[in-house]
Amino acid sequence: MTWQTEIDSPIGSLLITCNDDGITGLHMGAHAMGEVHEHQVLQRARKQLEEYFAGARTSFDLPLAAQGTDFQRNVWKRLCEIPYGRTASYGELAARIGNPKASRAVGAANGRNPIAVIVPCHRVIGADGSLTGFGGGLERKQWLLEHERNVAAEA
């Protein structure tokens, strides 16, 4: 069974989904289809996201259950290792997974991340420092990066 809930955030409406194993998705600008069903994992996610957006949380402690290939899951795991308030390029991420020539494949896996914000795909930028594609839109990516930089600078 899948549960879902919506929360309002500074970057718009967020739809969070989970199953018995953990969070399966976080989608920006999306709305619940049908009934909203609360689950304890969704309640924890809501609380932690509210803390994140308030600047009181720099990491998430939630069970994740994203569906993807082994390569995609490895990239998503590495995304979680990029420190709060920092960024990494696709090439740097490819090197971290042991395949420095796989920056395009890393970019594709990053783009398929179903759990945005919690799995911080917004922290990946172009080698030249440019903000590159982001499923939630570049304005949201810029907001998230500036939010994290500001919070980190205050710490």
Side-chain angles (χ1 to χ4, degrees):
M1 180 162 193
T2 300
W3 293 272
Q4 62 181 350
T5 192
E6 278 185 59
I7 68 167
D8 289 324
S9 79
I11 58 171
S13 176
L14 303 177
L15 174 65
I16 310 163
T17 58
C18 79
N19 61 23
D20 286 326
D21 296 323
I23 302 293
T24 57
L26 186 149
H27 310 281
M28 292 177 247
H31 297 283
M33 301 286 284
E35 287 186 55
V36 171
H37 298 281
E38 284 295 329
H39 184 277
Q40 70 177 20
V41 171
L42 293 177
Q43 291 170 354
R44 286 179 53 207
R46 174 188 298 276
K47 181 178 187 296
Q48 290 186 26
L49 283 162
E50 288 170 351
E51 292 169 349
Y52 169 85
F53 286 116
R57 174 174 288 277
T58 60
S59 64
F60 295 94
D61 178 25
L62 297 164
L64 304 178
Q67 297 296 309
T69 66
D70 288 343
F71 180 81
Q72 289 169 332
R73 287 194 312 273
N74 189 22
V75 169
W76 301 336
K77 178 182 172 190
R78 298 297 179 166
L79 291 172
C80 294
E81 296 171 359
I82 301 171
Y84 180 90
R86 299 272 182 86
T87 58
S89 72
Y90 294 98
E92 290 169 338
L93 205 53
R96 290 180 191 173
I97 65 168
N99 193 347
K101 294 183 179 181
S103 59
R104 286 183 187 224
V106 164
N110 194 51
R112 307 253 329 165
N113 171 25
I115 310 175
V117 182
I118 294 170
V119 176
C121 53
H122 60 277
R123 294 182 190 155
V124 182
I125 59 172
D128 62 358
S130 63
L131 297 187
T132 55
F134 183 63
L138 291 182
E139 289 178 3
R140 285 185 176 115
K141 181 173 186 162
Q142 184 170 1
W143 190 96
L144 291 165
L145 292 173
E146 288 177 5
H147 170 70
E148 291 185 2
R149 281 189 203 114
N150 291 339
V151 170
E154 293 173 8

